[in-house]
Amino acid sequence: MTAENAIADLRSALPEGSLITDPDSLQAYRRDRAEDPNAGTPLAVVRATSTEDVQAVVRIAAREGIGIVPRGAGSGLSGGSSAVDGTIVISLDRMREIRIDPALQMAVVQPGAFNAEVKSAASEHGLWYPPDPSSQEFCSIGGNVATNAGGLCCVKYGVTTDYVLGLTVVLADGRAVKLGGPRLKDVAGLSLTKLFVGSEGTLGIVTEAVLRLVPAQRAPTTLVAMFPTVEGAIGAVVDIKAAMRPSMLEFMDRVTINAVEDMMRMDLDRESAAMLIVQSDESVEIAAQQIEMIEQTCGMHGASEVYATSDPDESEALIEARRQAIPAVEKRGALLLEDVGVPLPRLGDLIDGMRVIAETRGVEIAVVAHAGDGNTHPLIVLDPTDAEQRANAEIAFGEVMDLAIALSGTITGEHGVGRLKQPWLADYLGDDVLELNLRIKRALDPDGIMNPGAVFGAL
Amino acid sequence: MTAENAIADLRSALPEGSLITDPDSLQAYRRDRAEDPNAGTPLAVVRATSTEDVQAVVRIAAREGIGIVPRGAGSGLSGGSSAVDGTIVISLDRMREIRIDPALQMAVVQPGAFNAEVKSAASEHGLWYPPDPSSQEFCSIGGNVATNAGGLCCVKYGVTTDYVLGLTVVLADGRAVKLGGPRLKDVAGLSLTKLFVGSEGTLGIVTEAVLRLVPAQRAPTTLVAMFPTVEGAIGAVVDIKAAMRPSMLEFMDRVTINAVEDMMRMDLDRESAAMLIVQSDESVEIAAQQIEMIEQTCGMHGASEVYATSDPDESEALIEARRQAIPAVEKRGALLLEDVGVPLPRLGDLIDGMRVIAETRGVEIAVVAHAGDGNTHPLIVLDPTDAEQRANAEIAFGEVMDLAIALSGTITGEHGVGRLKQPWLADYLGDDVLELNLRIKRALDPDGIMNPGAVFGAL
C-alpha cells in the first residue's frame, strides 16, 4: 500500500496540477537525452513549484522508502535522470525564476531556468555567466550544477563549480539547507557547496543556486583552421595551449565536419581530417597578436586553410557549427555519447586509440572535443534496430572509457556518470576512493532514496 | 601505556631524526601565528618526509586513539595548528618538493613547500600560480589548501580551491588516496578534492597537491588613492567593482596607514582616513583606460591624492606596503586577527559597525581589507599584559563576528575557523548545516582523531 499511500499524500500536500500519475503522461519523464533503453517507469511525476514542494515530496518518499529521481530539462547525456521503476520523479522544470543583483554581481536562480536564460538576464546588466555547455539553449542550471557542467569557454573561464557560491538543497530527510551564499570568500565549515556541485542528485536536490557573474566578455576574434591530419590539429592544440590562454579551443574530426556540413551548409572542406575553432577575447591589440600566433602555429602543423574573423555574427555562426555537432551527428543514427578526458599531452594517444577501437568493433566514432581541456566527446553512431551493431557499439563505449583510464584520464569530464557510466566508476576511482564516496553518500542519504542507481549503482 | 607504546612504535616506524619528544624542542610546535594562549603540549612531533611516514603515524595514532594535529609552516591565523595536550603533531615542513610540468601547465607540490616557492618555480616556465596570501613568503601550500587560502589577486583570479585539481590525502585510518588529478575537467564521482580543500586537517592530511598553473600575469599597473573619509574609499570600491574586474582592490584604514608608514617610511599621508591599492593587469591600452576610470571614480568619491605607476619595482613596493600591514600593526601590540567578510554592498556597514565596537569596548581596531571581495581583516590591538584590555578585546573579537553574521557575512573568508573561531561556527552555519558538516566529519573520521578541536570543537 506504500505506493497508494504516497500518491494520496502527495496529492494532498502539493498544489493543484503538480502531480502526474497518468501512465501516458508519465512517458515524457522516463528518459533524458541519453535515451537509456533500460529507463523505468516512475510511480508519479511531481512538477515542483517551490522548495517547499520538493520538501513535501522528499518527506513522503523518505517515510515510505520510495526512491526519488530529480530532473531538470531532461538534457542529460549520461542517464542521470532516467526514471527507475516505482520511484517519484521530481521535475524542476517549473522553477525558473532568475534574479540578478548587479551590485553583488550575482544571480539567484531556480534550477529549472535554462543556462541561456541566465546568460541573457545577466547580459541586461552588462554581466556574464560564463559556463556554456553546447546545450545552453535547452539545458537547465539545476542539471548544470548536478553534473558540474563545462562547455566551450571553460578552457579559459572554468566550469560550473567555479561560479557556484551558494545552494539551497533539500536533503534526503526533507530538510532544506542553505549552503554558502553571496560571499566571494567563505571558509567557515566544510566546502559543502562544492560537494553538492557534481553530485548528480545523489545527495540532495538543489532548489536554488547563487551564481557568480563577471563583467561582460569582450567581443572575441574567432579563428577556424582545417587540417589534412588529426595529428597536425592536435599538435597545434598543444602548442597553442602552451603559449597562451585562448577563450575557446575546439576540435572536430572529419565525420563531424561532414555531419555539420550536411546540416548547416557552411562550405566546410569535407576532405579535411580535422578542424579547430579557436577564440581570443583579449583586447583588440592582444587578440590580434594571439590570432597571428595561432595562425602561424596552425600553419606549422600543416593547416590547409586558416580563417579568422572578429565580426560578431560570423564568429557566432562558426561557434554555432561546433554547438550543433552533436545534433548533426545524431542525424546519422542513434548515438552512444562519450565524454572522456585526458591530460592534454595524451590527447593524441586518446584519439588514435579511439580510431583503433572504431575499426576493431566496426562502428563509426565521430569525435568532437573541448580540445584545450583534453576533454573529448566521441560519438558512437549506431542503427538502433541492428542488434549486433548495438552490441559492438556498447563494447566500444566501454573500451573508450578503459582507454581513457589507461591514459590517466577520466571516464567523464562534464556530463556526469549518471546510470550509463556507473559500471565503470569503480575501475576509474579504485576501491578506496569509491568507498570514500560511498561513506559520504551513506552519511547524507542513509536509506539510499536520492537518485537511486545513479553514479553509485545499488547501495 | 598508550603514549609510551605509541612513542616506541613511532620511533621504529619512522626514519632517523623524524621524531621529536624532547620537551624543549616540542615548544616550537605548540603554536601557530595566532599565538593561541590555550595551546597545549603534544606528546610528540613527527617531521614527516613522505606520504608513507604520515600513514605510519596515522595508523599508530588510530590504533591508540591518539589525536593528530597537522602543521605546515605554522603561519595559520586561526589556531588551526595549535597543539592539543597529548596529541601527535605531524609537521609537513620537510616535504617541500615542487615539480612543474610545463606541458600540462600544472605543479605537483608537497605540502611543506611555500606558496612563493611554487610561484617562483612556475615562473621559470613562464607560468603563474595565482593565489597570493600576504604571507606568501612564509606560508605553505599545505596550509593554503587546508584553509582554502585567498589573497590579493583573488578578486580577479579566485582562491586556492580554484587551482587545486588533485590531492593525495592520508585518511583517518592511515590509507592514502589520490583524489582528482592532472585533468582540467573531471566529474566522475563526488567532488572530494574540493571537499578536502578548506577542511583544515579535520578529514585527513594532504601530502601532495596537483595545482593548476596559468600563463604568466601581464605586468600590472598599480594605483594608490588616499581618502579623507572611509565612506569615500568604500564608495569608490563599490563603483570600481561594478565597472570592471581589477586584479587587486585593497583597503587600509588610518591606523594601518600609520603603522605601515612607521615601519616602511614611504611618505604615506598619515592624515588620510583610508587608502586604496588598485591594480589592472589588462593589456597596456585597456589597463590605461581602466586606470583612468579608477582615477575618476576615486576623484568623484573625494580622493585627496591619486598616484598610478606601471613601473614594476614601484608597483611591487606599493603592494609590499599592503602585504606588510599585519606585521606593521603587530608592532603596536599583540593582535587578535579577524577575517570577516560580507557581500560587497554591506562593506560600509561592516566597517562602520566595527568602529562602534572599537569605541564601545575601548580597543583599537585597525582595518585592512581585500575590499573587492568584501573580505576584511580587522586587527584588534591589545597589550597582552593588560588583563582587562585582553578581556575587552576578546569581547570585541566575538562582536565583530556577530556583526558580520548579522550583515549576511561570514566569520572567516580565508583564514579558517581553526580553534579560535570554533565557538562561533554554530551561530554562523545554523544547526542543520552544522549537523551536515558533522555527519561528513564522522563518516570520514569516526574516532575524531584528525585535528581534534579544530573547526568543530569536541565531537
Side-chain angles (χ1 to χ4, degrees), chain A residues 101-105 127 147-152 154-159 161-163 171 173 175-180 182-192 194-200 202-203 212 214-215 218 238 241-245 282-286 290 339 341-345 370 372-375 408-417 425 428-429 431-433 435-446 455-456, chain B residues 101-105 127 147-152 154-159 161-163 171 173 175-180 182-192 194-200 202-203 212 214-215 218 238 241-245 282-286 290 339 341-345 370 372-375 408-417 425 428-429 431-433 435-446 455-456:
Chain A
D101 187 324
L104 274 174
Q105 300 188 305
L127 294 167
T147 58
N148 189 16
L152 283 65
C154 307
V155 66
K156 181 166 181 178
Y157 291 100
V159 294
T161 194
D162 300 315
Y163 296 88
L171 303 174
D173 59 7
R175 279 181 300 168
V177 291
K178 277 185 189 283
L179 306 173
R183 293 167 289 275
L184 288 173
K185 287 178 179 167
D186 186 0
V187 297
L190 299 173
S191 304
L192 297 183
K194 299 280 188 192
L195 176 66
F196 276 88
V197 176
S199 64
E200 301 191 46
T202 63
L203 303 180
R212 180 184 193 182
V214 296
R218 270 186 291 264
V238 173
K241 194 72 199 301
M244 69 186 69
R245 205 172 175 190
E282 295 291 325
S283 65
V284 176
E285 200 180 328
I286 303 277
Q290 290 191 340
D339 175 40
V342 289
L344 192 57
H370 306 302
D373 291 326
N375 179 210
S408 304
T410 178
I411 60 170
T412 175
E414 57 180 13
H415 293 169
V417 174
L425 187 66
Y428 172 61
L429 294 180
D431 290 346
D432 285 343
V433 178
E435 193 262 350
L436 203 56
N437 273 268
L438 289 172
R439 274 202 261 169
I440 290 172
K441 166 70 174 172
R442 290 190 190 108
L444 268 52
D445 178 24
V455 186
F456 302 115
Chain B
D101 187 325
L104 273 174
Q105 302 188 306
L127 294 167
T147 58
N148 189 13
L152 282 65
C154 306
V155 65
K156 181 167 182 178
Y157 291 99
V159 293
T161 194
D162 299 315
Y163 295 88
L171 303 174
D173 59 8
R175 278 180 302 167
V177 290
K178 277 184 188 284
L179 307 173
R183 293 167 289 274
L184 289 173
K185 289 177 177 166
D186 186 0
V187 297
L190 299 173
S191 304
L192 297 184
K194 299 281 188 191
L195 176 66
F196 276 88
V197 177
S199 63
E200 300 190 45
T202 62
L203 304 181
R212 180 185 191 179
V214 296
R218 269 186 291 265
V238 172
K241 194 74 199 301
M244 70 187 68
R245 205 172 175 192
E282 294 291 326
S283 65
V284 176
E285 198 180 328
I286 303 276
Q290 290 191 342
D339 175 40
V342 289
L344 192 58
H370 306 303
D373 291 327
N375 178 211
S408 305
T410 178
I411 59 170
T412 175
E414 56 181 13
H415 293 169
V417 174
L425 187 67
Y428 171 60
L429 294 180
D431 291 344
D432 284 341
V433 178
E435 193 262 350
L436 202 56
N437 274 267
L438 289 172
R439 273 201 262 168
I440 290 172
K441 166 71 172 169
R442 290 190 190 110
L444 268 52
D445 177 24
V455 186
F456 302 115

Side-chain angles (χ1 to χ4, degrees), chain A residues 26-51:
Chain A
L26 292 179
Q27 292 301 317
Y29 296 88
R30 290 183 55 218
R31 294 193 171 86
D32 56 22
R33 204 168 155 223
E35 296 290 351
D36 184 355
N38 301 317
T41 301
L43 194 62
V45 171
V46 174
R47 295 183 67 205
T49 63
S50 65
T51 299

Side-chain angles (χ1 to χ4, degrees), chain A residues 49-56 95 110 168 170 176 207-208:
Chain A
T49 63
S50 65
T51 299
E52 291 70 26
D53 282 0
V54 175
Q55 290 183 268
M95 292 177 63
Q110 289 188 323
T168 303
V170 176
T207 60
E208 192 171 89

Side-chain angles (χ1 to χ4, degrees), chain B residues 155-373:
Chain B
V155 65
K156 181 167 182 178
Y157 291 99
V159 293
T160 300
T161 194
D162 299 315
Y163 295 88
V164 180
L165 295 172
L167 293 173
T168 302
V169 180
V170 176
L171 303 174
D173 59 8
R175 278 180 302 167
V177 290
K178 277 184 188 284
L179 307 173
R183 293 167 289 274
L184 289 173
K185 289 177 177 166
D186 186 0
V187 297
L190 299 173
S191 304
L192 297 184
T193 307
K194 299 281 188 191
L195 176 66
F196 276 88
V197 177
S199 63
E200 300 190 45
T202 62
L203 304 181
I205 299 177
V206 171
T207 59
E208 191 170 271
V210 180
L211 304 176
R212 180 185 191 179
L213 305 174
V214 296
Q217 190 181 24
R218 269 186 291 265
T221 304
T222 306
L223 176 145
V224 174
M226 310 301 291
F227 291 84
T229 66
V230 168
E231 291 65 29
I234 300 301
V237 167
V238 172
D239 284 357
I240 291 165
K241 194 74 199 301
M244 70 187 68
R245 205 172 175 192
S247 56
M248 187 179 293
L249 183 41
E250 296 289 315
F251 170 96
M252 288 169 28
D253 74 352
R254 178 180 284 135
V255 177
T256 313
I257 294 169
N258 279 277
V260 168
E261 184 59 23
D262 286 345
M263 188 165 92
M264 300 184 68
R265 305 285 168 204
M266 301 178 69
D267 263 336
L268 300 177
D269 176 11
R270 290 176 177 276
E271 299 304 310
S272 292
M275 170 174 163
L276 294 183
I277 307 176
V278 198
Q279 224 175 49
S280 168
D281 66 353
E282 294 291 326
S283 65
V284 176
E285 198 180 328
I286 303 276
Q289 287 166 21
Q290 290 191 342
I291 292 292
E292 193 187 324
M293 194 195 281
I294 295 166
E295 278 182 3
Q296 284 171 5
T297 306
C298 291
M300 272 167 40
H301 287 280
S304 54
E305 194 188 331
V306 180
Y307 176 72
T309 178
S310 51
D311 179 80
D313 294 339
E314 208 177 6
S315 246
E316 186 52 33
L318 291 168
I319 297 156
E320 193 54 24
R322 164 62 189 87
R323 286 202 200 103
Q324 294 302 327
I326 294 178
V329 177
E330 258 170 350
K331 292 187 187 293
R332 298 172 75 90
L335 298 186
L336 286 182
L337 274 137
E338 274 286 6
D339 175 40
V340 293
V342 289
L344 192 58
R346 315 302 293 273
L347 184 58
D349 296 338
L350 177 66
I351 292 179
D352 285 349
M354 292 191 300
R355 199 156 30 191
V356 174
I357 292 169
E359 278 163 21
T360 310
R361 298 295 163 197
V363 293
E364 185 174 58
I365 303 184
V367 181
V368 294
H370 306 303
D373 291 327

